[in-house]
Amino acid sequence: MHCLFLGIAKWITKRIWIDEDVLTEKALQSIQKKMSEFKLPSDLGQIPGKIHCGEGFSNFTADQWRNFFLIYATVVLWNHLPNKDRKILMYFIRVCTILVRRIVEINNMKEAHELLVKIIKSIKKHYGEGKITLNLHLSLHLCECSYDYGPLYSFWYFSFERMNGVLGSLRNSHCQIEPELIRRLMTETQINNIISSNSEVIGIELLNKRPSVSSLSEFPTNEMYQFLMNSRNILKSPITGCEEFLGIFLAPRSKDIRLDKQIYDLLIEYYKDTYVDSIFRKPFTENLPNSTIVINKAN
């Protein structure tokens, strides 16, 4: 799946359509304007970022490439592509639709393979052999891999890519991130071993002799130990603490403040617009059935 989106999708869009001036800067701006009109559910995942910045489609993740081709591409790209590229687009979208499914039928896998062959032949015909990359070649083995291991959804690298993002977000010296992460993992493993052995804190001070690892060692060992102990025995370990009193109380408050007439009227209008099935009124006005009186006071 990583090959499909970060390999093929990115290559077709950036190294064929943009580099060959099929998608110009003006076209990218038009595409961006059209994409901004889409209203998508919040649980969809990562939505594509700004495509008209830089050289276009910069820093897209595999998730973003997937969402772009499955949701946006047909609508936003169609008017900017010639017929030969429209075929490539439609073939590739159909391939993506098939391969991202959790359950894929054998006949659909055969269809996806045939469409990938058509895509590669079309690219070779219209843009030359130099545009045929290793990723395009590897795509011809996707169906074979699915026959051996099941749908791509079951063994794709999206989770691995997300973990890379998590590791990359950890504070480090930006010099030797690999050994720094390994030392951090080893330290946490040592602490876990000491805790799981039911021993006392004796021995934990040995970890204090470890060499400092840039900003990854910002937490003292005793604090790490206490945190792990509390997290494992949250029902048994009392957690206490205190902070220095700042010497400042909350500002005085008043009760039963009478609302200004304008605010009072707006409050009633708000209730009417929010609860359309209910009736709201001021005190001492017409007594309507099942009506609710709004008091012009607030605490």
Side-chain angles (χ1 to χ4, degrees):
M1 195 61 67
H2 185 277
C3 165
L4 186 66
F5 290 111
L6 274 182
I8 304 173
K10 181 178 180 180
W11 181 265
I12 291 176
T13 305
K14 296 175 69 70
R15 298 296 169 249
I16 296 180
W17 291 339
I18 292 181
D19 287 359
E20 298 295 331
D21 289 330
V22 177
L23 296 178
T24 61
E25 183 177 351
K26 183 178 180 181
L28 293 178
Q29 293 177 354
S30 176
I31 293 169
Q32 183 67 66
K33 182 178 179 181
K34 190 69 176 178
M35 290 176 60
S36 63
E37 298 175 0
F38 281 62
K39 302 296 182 182
L40 304 179
S42 58
D43 61 346
L44 186 65
Q46 287 189 311
I47 62 175
K50 301 292 185 181
I51 68 167
H52 65 286
C53 299
E55 62 176 4
F57 297 90
S58 299
N59 302 320
F60 271 31
T61 64
D63 276 326
Q64 289 174 319
W65 279 114
R66 178 190 60 178
N67 289 335
F68 175 77
F69 271 94
L70 294 182
I71 299 173
Y72 296 93
T74 304
V75 176
V76 302
L77 295 180
W78 192 259
N79 292 333
H80 302 283
L81 298 177
N83 288 332
K84 66 179 186 296
D85 292 306
R86 288 179 178 177
K87 290 184 179 180
I88 295 175
L89 174 65
M90 296 311 298
Y91 291 158
F92 186 68
I93 291 176
R94 177 58 180 165
V95 169
C96 294
T97 303
I98 293 173
L99 295 183
V100 300
R101 295 173 182 172
R102 300 189 182 188
I103 300 177
V104 185
E105 297 180 357
I106 297 296
N107 292 335
N108 288 335
M109 293 301 303
K110 294 179 179 178
E111 178 188 356
H113 180 76
E114 293 172 357
L115 291 176
L116 285 169
V117 173
K118 290 182 179 180
I119 291 173
I120 295 174
K121 287 184 176 180
S122 181
I123 293 175
K124 178 181 177 182
K125 177 181 178 181
H126 298 292
Y127 295 102
E129 293 184 357
K131 295 294 184 179
I132 305 302
T133 63
L134 179 61
N135 276 319
L136 290 174
H137 169 76
L138 291 175
S139 69
L140 300 180
H141 296 278
L142 290 176
C143 295
E144 181 181 353
C145 291
S146 295
Y147 293 145
D148 292 337
Y149 304 108
L152 300 184
Y153 185 89
S154 63
F155 64 95
W156 59 11
Y157 282 122
F158 279 12
S159 58
F160 183 78
E161 288 296 310
R162 292 194 184 98
M163 181 55 66
N164 282 341
V166 172
L167 294 177
S169 66
L170 297 176
R171 298 176 63 184
N172 58 85
S173 66
H174 299 286
C175 296
Q176 293 182 323
I177 177 62
E178 295 86 356
E180 290 177 18
L181 292 175
I182 292 299
R183 292 191 188 107
R184 179 171 181 165
L185 292 175
M186 291 174 63
T187 298
E188 293 179 354
T189 301
Q190 288 177 301
I191 294 175
N192 281 326
N193 290 338
I194 293 174
I195 295 175
S196 61
S197 65
N198 295 322
S199 63
E200 298 295 333
V201 184
I202 298 174
I204 197 72
E205 67 275 3
L206 296 176
L207 300 181
N208 284 324
K209 298 181 180 180
R210 70 192 187 286
S212 177
V213 187
S214 181
S215 56
L216 292 180
S217 299
E218 58 181 313
F219 296 108
T221 303
N222 59 337
E223 291 185 12
M224 296 172 65
Y225 172 81
Q226 190 60 47
F227 175 79
L228 289 173
M229 286 294 293
N230 290 337
S231 64
R232 293 191 175 192
N233 305 287
I234 192 67
L235 297 180
K236 299 179 181 179
S237 301
I239 301 176
T240 60
C242 62
E243 296 181 2
E244 182 180 356
F245 178 60
L246 300 178
I248 300 175
F249 286 105
L250 294 176
R253 66 175 183 176
S254 301
K255 296 184 178 180
D256 295 332
I257 298 298
R258 184 176 296 275
L259 300 177
D260 179 78
K261 181 179 184 303
Q262 183 180 6
I263 299 298
Y264 186 33
D265 294 337
L266 288 174
L267 180 61
I268 294 177
E269 291 299 322
Y270 168 78
Y271 284 143
K272 289 181 179 179
D273 292 339
T274 305
Y275 307 98
V276 294
D277 296 328
S278 302
I279 301 174
F280 298 92
R281 64 183 180 88
K282 297 180 180 180
F284 311 112
T285 56
E286 183 180 359
N287 187 11
L288 300 175
N290 299 322
S291 61
T292 301
I293 298 176
V294 179
I295 305 298
N296 65 335
K297 291 184 177 181
N299 292 329

